[in-house]
Amino acid sequence: MLVVEVPHDLILSSLSNLQTPKAEPTQLTVEEGNAVFQADSTCSESSSSPQWSKMNECRKDVKAVRLDISFKSPSHTGLQTTELVKELTEQFPASTPLALVLKQFLADRSLDQSYSGGLSSYCLVLLITRFLQHEHHHGRLIDQNLGSLLMDFFYFFGNVFDPRQMRVSIQGSGLYINRERGCSIDPICIDDPLYPTNNVGRNCFRIHQCIKAFADAYSTLENEIPSLPSNDESNSVPQVKLLPRIIPSIGLSVGS
């Protein structure tokens, strides 16, 4: 996360002097050995050159990377949040792999961004932390069965958790608090450990889609488990990958 400070007077002066630049032809020069290739954006002939085609092919392989830019303000808590998440992942080592898998799980369903009604990364980490607190899964990562933890997470938040009646808090050893009816119209209530009066889940208006996705994932995995080979058969039977069944993008990356 990039945090910058922008003086108010600088913003005003920039707006007053804002002008639309004229389109100018751009020239690209690429040197390879002793040969020099020149490409003008206004010239269509250069686009057919081998070097230009090669550069276009390279650009096709570039993937977009999401970048959050926050402007520092009295209400900005990004740096404190980052430090808190670091502490939580150190206390609960299993939260890191669970968060990575669940984040991709939600991303495949376009449920991973708060501005579109999904679960933000911060909300997801708090849910995972509360789940691990509840299950008393302390200790080293090597001593934990991550597959079982993932199944338990899907089951609890897909079939047991009710955001209309339960409020999530990781204070102390963690709490699921009865949510008073009529006290808030927020779709889900997740207490912010840094500011308890702040509900970090207030924008997650698609929480019921998230819950249904968790429930469906649990059912899918539960139906697949009986068909897995036993320990005696594991050496002779090809390895079965279950995550691509619920996270299609993982299967695509493995296949490529």
Side-chain angles (χ1 to χ4, degrees):
M1 179 179 292
L2 176 65
V3 181
V4 297
E5 291 183 272
V6 181
H8 183 66
D9 55 348
L10 179 60
I11 298 176
L12 295 178
S13 62
S14 299
L15 291 175
S16 61
N17 296 327
L18 185 62
Q19 295 181 353
T20 303
K22 296 181 180 179
E24 295 289 342
T26 58
Q27 191 175 63
L28 175 66
T29 302
V30 180
E31 296 186 8
E32 183 173 341
N34 296 326
V36 178
F37 300 91
Q38 290 188 340
D40 196 321
S41 62
T42 61
C43 179
S44 60
E45 295 178 358
S46 60
S47 62
S48 60
S49 66
Q51 188 69 15
W52 187 259
S53 300
K54 184 177 180 180
M55 293 179 63
N56 284 335
E57 291 178 1
C58 293
R59 292 184 63 184
K60 292 179 181 178
D61 296 333
V62 177
K63 296 183 179 180
V65 177
R66 291 174 180 170
L67 176 65
D68 292 334
I69 300 178
S70 300
F71 292 90
K72 190 174 182 180
S73 66
S75 61
H76 180 266
T77 61
L79 298 180
Q80 298 96 312
T81 299
T82 301
E83 189 62 30
L84 173 64
V85 171
K86 181 181 178 182
E87 294 175 0
L88 292 176
T89 54
E90 290 176 352
Q91 182 180 359
F92 300 98
S95 61
T96 298
L98 285 176
L100 292 174
V101 171
L102 290 169
K103 186 69 175 179
Q104 189 60 50
F105 173 85
L106 293 171
D108 278 14
R109 294 156 178 81
S110 300
L111 294 171
D112 62 323
Q113 298 294 329
S114 60
Y115 64 81
S116 60
L119 277 171
S120 67
S121 298
Y122 189 36
C123 286
L124 183 60
V125 169
L126 294 179
L127 288 182
I128 293 172
T129 300
R130 179 63 196 99
F131 165 74
L132 294 176
Q133 288 175 327
H134 179 70
E135 298 295 320
H136 303 289
H137 289 298
H138 296 273
R140 296 182 178 180
L141 180 63
I142 195 173
D143 297 327
Q144 296 173 317
N145 187 323
L146 295 177
S148 296
L149 289 178
L150 182 63
M151 287 281 291
D152 291 344
F153 182 93
F154 281 143
Y155 176 78
F156 179 79
F157 284 104
N159 298 284
V160 178
F161 179 73
D162 185 353
R164 296 167 296 184
Q165 299 182 9
M166 303 170 70
R167 193 172 99 230
V168 179
S169 174
I170 67 168
Q171 295 294 342
S173 58
L175 297 169
Y176 289 118
I177 307 171
N178 289 332
R179 186 174 175 181
E180 298 180 4
R181 292 184 177 274
C183 65
S184 173
I185 61 173
D186 294 341
I188 182 174
C189 190
I190 305 175
D191 291 351
D192 188 345
L194 299 175
Y195 298 94
T197 58
N198 177 39
N199 175 19
V200 298
R202 63 183 178 276
N203 294 326
C204 187
F205 56 83
R206 298 172 66 191
I207 182 60
H208 290 286
Q209 294 182 40
C210 297
I211 291 175
K212 185 179 185 305
F214 293 151
D216 291 344
Y218 177 81
S219 298
T220 299
L221 294 177
E222 188 181 36
N223 292 333
E224 292 288 344
I225 288 178
S227 61
L228 293 177
S230 62
N231 293 333
D232 297 335
E233 301 173 337
S234 58
N235 294 330
S236 58
V237 178
Q239 186 178 8
V240 178
K241 298 182 182 297
L242 292 182
L243 280 183
R245 308 289 176 87
I246 60 173
I247 309 178
S249 60
I250 292 182
L252 293 175
S253 61
V254 172
S256 59

